[in-house]
């Protein structure tokens, strides 16, 4: 039996951060009831990440809302609000990611919910916390990356700010909320007390950068300086980076420069020392290394470096990754089916418990798909 079997989550959240938290709770066995707005539902249903549409909704909605139920309720309607209250009374977890003050105006804030459900775990994600000059700003991933210095860590020095190609702040905020909810559920099992958990995307965006931020304060508050070539980490010395080869690319992590010079047959590298020089003169080192790696295909260099236990890797795209035996053995993909029989392939939960992969054949819900079922459970 999954560890959260028997637990019920009432989920008001939309977009990515909140739904990611409830997705992970669902993967761990919880029943997630997604409350959606009449007509449009979760705005993420129309948030197209490409020109690919699955069964009438965006691909991102299907990816992050599998294994959930949907009930359409108007939170401002008196009759629907009574249904919401009945759902909240039996919930183990309630979560949302509205802007600060919205749930208070609607009457479904933590203080109000706690009156009818004292041991509820109430989780919320905000963009920028509940106070401060940014509190009313939209909590959107690219904006958070841009405001928190994160865009000055990727790309080469001459490129200007470069955003991550994933909604990384949303993902970490959702993971942080999920972790806190699980901890509070454990405490509730021991002490029979509820909790109010708040995570902001701003906090999460800073926390992601714990290594770089700590270095910044230790380093006299000097801003991180990206290398001009093959930058992959602003605070790491050569050879750390991704390099073009004759037929592709090669990733090199930490390693000794003179050792690399000897292994690769590049005499110019053997004149450099490791440590301070490898950082101070990393642009020169990377330029020499980059030019040398262009002379042979990736497989040639991998054959030399892997035998010598040098930290290196081929640089794969999704097509080559998914065709690789190393990916196939993970069994990370699963086929899920929606209530109308529409099926699609997506990722599974990455967690294994007692050696077992966590999978579920239940796809994402159609808008309001479970209204009748849930109403019958509540009122017969």
């Amino acid at each position: 039996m999954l560890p959260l079997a028997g637990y019920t989550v009432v989920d008001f959240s939309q977009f990515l951060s909140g739904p990611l938290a409830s997705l992970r709770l669902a993967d761990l066995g919880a029943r997630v009831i997604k409350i959606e707005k009449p007509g449009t539902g979760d705005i993420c249903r129309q948030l197209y990440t490409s020109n690919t549409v699955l069964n009438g909704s965006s691909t991102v909605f299907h990816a992050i809302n599998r294994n959930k139920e949907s009930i359409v309720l108007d939170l401002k309607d008196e009759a629907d609000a009574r249904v919401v209250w009945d759902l909240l009374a039996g919930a183990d977890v309630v979560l949302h990611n509205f802007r600060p003050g919205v749930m208070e105006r609607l009457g479904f804030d933590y203080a109000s919910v706690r009156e009818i459900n004292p041991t509820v775990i109430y989780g919320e994600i905000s963009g920028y916390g509940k106070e401060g000059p940014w509190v009313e700003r939209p909590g959107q991933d690219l904006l958070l990356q841009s405001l928190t210095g994160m865009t000055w860590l990727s790309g080469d020095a001459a490129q200007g700010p470069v955003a991550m190609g994933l909604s990384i702040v949303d993902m970490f905020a959702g993971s942080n909320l999920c972790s806190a909810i699980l901890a509070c559920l454990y405490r509730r099992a021991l002490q029979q007390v509820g909790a109010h958990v708040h995570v902001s995307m701003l906090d999460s965006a800073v926390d992601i950068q714990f290594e770089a931020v700590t270095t910044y304060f230790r380093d006299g508050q000097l801003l991180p300086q990206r290398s001009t070539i093959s930058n992959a980490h602003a605070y790491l010395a050569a050879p750390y980076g991704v390099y073009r080869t004759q037929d592709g690319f090669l990733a090199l992590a930490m390693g000794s420069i003179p050792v690399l010079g000897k292994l690769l047959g590049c005499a110019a590298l053997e004149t450099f020392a490791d440590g301070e020089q490898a950082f101070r003169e990393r642009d020169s080192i990377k330029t020499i290394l980059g030019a040398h790696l262009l002379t042979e295909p990736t497989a040639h260099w991998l054959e030399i470096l892997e035998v010598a236990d040098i930290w290196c890797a081929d640089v794969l795209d999704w097509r080559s990754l998914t065709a690789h035996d190393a990916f196939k053995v993970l069994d990370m993909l699963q086929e899920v089916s929606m209530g109308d029989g529409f099926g699609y392939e997506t990722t599974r939960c990455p967690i294994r418990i007692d050696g077992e992969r966590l999978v579920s054949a239940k796809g994402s819900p159609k808008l309001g798909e479970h209204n009748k079922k849930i109403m019958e459970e509540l009122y017969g």
Side-chain angles (χ1 to χ4, degrees):
M1 185 170 69
L2 292 172
L4 293 185
Y7 287 83
T8 298
V9 177
V10 174
D11 182 12
F12 294 89
S13 68
Q14 50 186 343
F15 291 114
L16 295 177
S17 60
L20 179 68
S22 62
L23 172 64
R24 195 58 70 234
L25 296 173
D27 283 336
L28 291 168
R31 179 189 188 188
V32 175
I33 299 174
K34 188 175 178 69
I35 296 180
E36 299 194 71
K37 182 180 180 180
T40 57
D42 184 340
I43 299 173
C44 199
R45 288 182 180 272
Q46 286 79 47
L47 186 68
Y48 297 106
T49 54
S50 69
N51 60 356
T52 304
V53 178
L54 292 181
N55 207 17
S57 296
S58 74
T59 53
V60 65
F61 176 85
H62 292 294
I64 205 166
N65 286 289
R66 58 175 176 77
N67 209 12
K68 302 176 186 178
E69 300 174 26
S70 169
I71 182 170
V72 169
L73 294 168
D74 184 347
L75 302 183
K76 298 179 181 178
D77 178 81
E78 186 176 341
D80 281 2
R82 286 197 295 269
V83 177
V84 173
W85 281 115
D86 289 336
L87 284 170
L88 295 176
D92 298 288
V93 175
V94 174
L95 61 90
H96 75 84
N97 60 350
F98 294 125
R99 291 190 188 187
V102 170
M103 288 299 260
E104 284 77 7
R105 291 194 295 271
L106 292 169
F108 301 115
D109 55 287
Y110 173 61
S112 301
V113 175
R114 184 178 57 182
E115 290 183 7
I116 65 163
N117 189 344
T119 62
V120 71
I121 309 302
Y122 189 102
E124 57 181 303
I125 295 177
S126 67
Y128 306 88
K130 297 190 175 184
E131 57 187 10
W134 291 348
V135 71
E136 293 299 326
R137 290 192 177 196
Q140 195 277 332
D141 196 277
L142 177 60
L143 308 186
L144 266 298
Q145 288 191 40
S146 300
L147 285 168
T148 57
M150 197 179 302
T151 56
W152 294 104
L153 298 174
S154 298
D156 295 338
Q159 290 184 269
V162 176
M164 289 280 292
L166 294 170
S167 299
I168 194 74
V169 182
D170 276 309
M171 295 174 186
F172 269 84
S175 295
N176 287 338
L177 181 63
C178 182
S179 296
I181 287 171
L182 292 173
C184 291
L185 284 173
Y186 177 74
R187 186 181 70 171
R188 190 183 77 165
L190 297 177
Q191 302 177 16
Q192 291 74 54
V193 295
H196 182 198
V197 178
H198 174 232
V199 171
S200 84
M201 293 176 69
L202 181 59
D203 288 326
S204 298
V206 174
D207 179 62
I208 295 169
Q209 303 174 83
F210 65 91
E211 177 189 9
V213 169
T214 302
T215 304
Y216 164 73
F217 283 108
R218 179 62 180 167
D219 201 25
Q221 298 186 26
L222 296 175
L223 292 174
Q225 298 297 312
R226 297 171 293 176
S227 57
T228 60
I229 180 174
S230 301
N231 174 70
H233 196 299
Y235 287 111
L236 290 181
Y240 204 90
V242 175
Y243 300 86
R244 187 180 291 276
T245 67
Q246 194 178 79
D247 65 347
F249 294 89
L250 176 73
L252 282 167
M254 288 77 75
S256 168
I257 303 304
V259 169
L260 274 176
K262 186 173 294 186
L263 285 169
L264 300 175
C266 182
L269 289 181
E270 295 185 54
T271 64
F272 291 95
D274 296 326
E276 184 181 346
Q277 187 183 26
F279 184 83
R280 188 179 64 250
E281 300 183 45
R282 61 182 176 174
D283 287 341
S284 297
I285 294 169
K286 287 183 173 185
T287 299
I288 295 168
L289 177 59
H292 187 73
L293 292 174
L294 277 171
T295 62
E296 297 287 351
T298 302
H300 171 82
W301 300 124
L302 287 174
E303 187 176 354
I304 294 170
L305 296 172
E306 288 179 341
V307 171
D309 200 25
I310 300 297
W311 292 357
C312 61
D314 199 349
V315 180
L316 307 179
D317 57 23
W318 288 338
R319 184 175 292 113
S320 51
L321 169 66
T322 54
H324 202 287
D325 288 342
F327 177 82
K328 293 176 181 177
V329 75
L330 292 176
D331 199 16
M332 266 300 298
L333 301 178
Q334 60 179 355
E335 182 79 18
V336 297
S337 296
M338 298 177 64
D340 61 1
F342 181 87
Y344 60 95
E345 193 172 33
T346 187
T347 56
R348 64 164 174 84
C349 177
I351 298 168
R352 302 188 192 201
I353 296 179
D354 296 329
E356 295 294 322
R357 297 176 177 86
L358 302 189
V359 296
S360 171
K362 184 178 178 181
S364 54
K366 284 282 192 178
L367 182 61
E369 179 180 339
H370 301 93
N371 270 61
K372 181 179 179 181
K373 171 189 173 185
I374 293 170
M375 291 296 220
E376 287 177 350
E377 290 175 355
L378 288 174
Y379 309 115

